[in-house]
Amino acid sequence: MKTILCIDDEPRMLDLLTLYLEPNFYCRAMSSVQEAFDFLEDGHADLILLDVMMPEMDGWQACQEIRKFWDVPIIMLTAKGEHADIVKGLNLGADDYILKPFDEEELLARIHAVLRRSKIEEKVISFEGLRLDKESFELYFQHEAIPLTPKEFSMLVLFLDHQSKVFSREHLITTVWGYNVTIEDRTIDSHVRNLREKLRKSGFPADDYLQTVWGIGYKWHKSIDRKPLQHKS
């Protein structure tokens, strides 16, 4: 069951969203943007319903902060129907916009439509200027192509699909090369070294993200000095 993160400072609206969503989704209701940031640091959401008018940080600013660090789809919820406000939200990274009041069928239809679009987009991974296309086996950094061998490409897909997960050399051998293949650890080290070098040459700071976990293997660090905007009272 997919998880929907609802962010709204009005308890009644959160109750209503939970009522509408829970037969079809797992709903996480939060009245604070900072609480939502804390949840996203370690938790997972398949889609965010984000209210625009909130006291600590408006939805537009919150959308910008979320987009800096997470690729989760966002639907903005607002009672403001001005064309300029809708365009502003979409330009800041929102995937759709729903005007209050809305009915259950419209809400669910829009959620399902956005989730369908995001499923298609899963074939392409974007990360800090990198763009990896799983179907065409192409990698770009800021529109410049980076040539990779098939094994390097498979390894990068694994790292980007499972950011912050530590992969042992044995795991990498099994996943990338397959079972019943005799590969030495230094072959993995050589491929990682070559992958880092190719990313570096393109201008991507590979050493900040593709990290060695001494005595175990490697991981892709999902952020460096990531600090979502804190609310100051």
Side-chain angles (χ1 to χ4, degrees):
M1 183 176 290
K2 292 188 180 297
T3 298
I4 309 295
L5 175 58
C6 303
I7 311 171
D8 197 305
D9 64 309
E10 297 182 12
R12 285 181 295 178
M13 178 55 65
L14 289 177
D15 290 342
L16 182 63
L17 290 171
T18 301
L19 179 66
Y20 284 169
L21 296 173
E22 286 207 328
N24 301 280
F25 303 100
Y26 177 51
C27 183
R28 293 299 301 263
M30 298 184 180
S31 59
S32 161
V33 172
Q34 189 59 54
E35 182 185 6
F37 286 156
D38 293 340
F39 169 78
L40 289 169
E41 283 292 334
D42 299 307
H44 170 77
D46 294 288
L47 184 141
I48 295 174
L49 295 176
L50 176 62
D51 185 41
V52 169
M53 303 305 294
M54 289 182 290
E56 64 174 283
M57 181 190 301
D58 66 41
W60 294 310
Q61 192 176 12
C63 182
Q64 282 183 296
E65 289 298 309
I66 292 168
R67 276 288 164 263
K68 288 179 184 178
F69 311 121
W70 300 285
D71 292 328
V72 58
I74 299 171
I75 297 178
M76 308 287 284
L77 304 176
T78 183
K80 300 180 69 174
E82 289 83 355
H83 177 73
D85 291 325
I86 295 174
V87 171
K88 179 178 180 180
L90 295 174
N91 284 337
L92 290 176
D95 295 272
D96 202 353
Y97 223 96
I98 300 181
L99 299 180
K100 299 177 182 178
F102 49 80
D103 63 29
E104 179 180 359
E105 290 185 358
E106 179 190 6
L107 176 66
L108 293 176
R110 288 182 179 272
I111 288 174
H112 285 300
V114 170
L115 288 173
R116 283 196 300 271
R117 292 199 298 269
S118 66
K119 184 176 182 180
I120 293 172
E121 291 168 358
E122 286 175 0
K123 297 173 183 176
V124 175
I125 305 174
S126 298
F127 183 92
E128 300 292 340
L130 287 176
R131 185 178 186 277
L132 184 150
D133 191 320
K134 297 179 183 179
E135 288 197 329
S136 65
F137 292 91
E138 294 176 327
L139 175 68
Y140 294 86
F141 178 61
Q142 296 179 349
H143 307 294
E144 178 184 342
I146 304 174
L148 299 181
T149 67
K151 298 302 185 188
E152 290 166 354
F153 190 89
S154 297
M155 192 177 290
L156 185 57
V157 169
L158 190 64
F159 285 134
L160 289 175
D161 273 340
H162 304 278
Q163 295 171 31
S164 293
K165 176 180 173 62
V166 178
F167 288 96
S168 68
R169 290 172 176 83
E170 292 77 12
H171 192 152
L172 290 171
I173 290 171
T174 300
T175 304
V176 177
W177 274 262
Y179 291 95
N180 300 320
V181 175
T182 303
I183 298 291
E184 296 183 357
D185 286 356
R186 64 171 176 263
T187 300
I188 297 294
D189 298 337
S190 176
H191 276 73
V192 170
R193 184 168 57 251
N194 292 339
L195 179 56
R196 280 197 187 115
E197 182 61 23
K198 290 180 179 181
L199 291 171
R200 264 192 233 110
K201 284 183 177 179
S202 75
F204 182 80
D207 297 311
D208 291 334
Y209 295 101
L210 182 46
Q211 300 181 349
T212 301
V213 181
W214 298 108
I216 302 177
Y218 299 95
K219 74 171 182 177
W220 187 276
H221 194 48
K222 64 182 178 180
S223 67
I224 51 173
D225 298 328
R226 183 165 71 185
K227 295 179 180 178
L229 185 62
Q230 301 283 331
H231 170 59
K232 296 181 180 180
S233 55

